[in-house]
Amino acid sequence: EAAFPAADTNGDGVLDLSEFMESSFSMFEGVKKRTDDILVTLQRVVKVLEQQKNQGRKETPPVEIYVQSHEKPDFQPPHAAWQEEGTEDNPEKNMKEWKLSGEVALPLTLQTAE
């Protein structure tokens, strides 16, 4: 619901096909620029998991799961939303917007797929 006004670019209260397609594709514009960064992060995760598996571990240390702290957070299009997230240099950036929801240990038998 919150995304409707952003997608309804001409303000007529109806989403036509071109507005729907534009809003659907625009959500990827921020992510597409970061694909290499995501791949590098995932490769580091795989490397650590493989090292732990080689040391005889059966599962990862607990992985913390965070969810947004507001029940109905403000909608931000993907090209803008990631700009407020933590970084390697500043992982605590904007943490007030998130709360710990749980922890899970992942089995080291997970495999990658290309």
Side-chain angles (χ1 to χ4, degrees):
E1 285 180 31
F4 181 80
D8 183 22
T9 55
N10 64 5
D12 66 357
V14 177
L15 268 185
D16 61 34
L17 181 59
S18 65
E19 289 172 322
F20 172 77
M21 295 301 285
E22 177 62 28
S23 86
S24 295
F25 287 114
S26 70
M27 73 178 168
F28 295 105
E29 65 188 29
V31 175
K32 186 168 91 173
K33 295 175 189 169
R34 298 186 56 208
T35 302
D36 292 338
D37 295 334
I38 294 169
L39 178 59
V40 168
T41 300
L42 291 174
Q43 288 172 333
R44 285 195 324 254
V45 169
V46 168
K47 183 177 178 182
V48 169
L49 292 177
E50 287 174 347
Q51 287 173 345
Q52 290 183 357
K53 185 176 181 179
N54 290 337
Q55 294 172 358
R57 292 184 63 114
K58 300 263 189 245
E59 58 188 26
T60 67
V63 176
E64 295 178 337
I65 309 296
Y66 286 85
V67 296
Q68 292 179 314
S69 58
H70 301 294
E71 189 171 319
K72 292 188 177 185
D74 293 334
F75 173 78
Q76 290 184 322
H79 70 274
W82 64 269
Q83 296 175 18
E84 293 299 319
E85 297 305 316
T87 63
E88 248 183 83
D89 296 333
N90 186 7
E92 299 299 317
K93 180 181 178 183
N94 211 26
M95 279 304 291
K96 67 184 182 309
E97 300 296 324
W98 300 91
K99 65 180 178 183
L100 182 62
S101 176
E103 293 183 352
V104 62
L106 302 172
L108 292 177
T109 57
L110 296 175
Q111 297 182 1
T112 59
E114 305 252 346

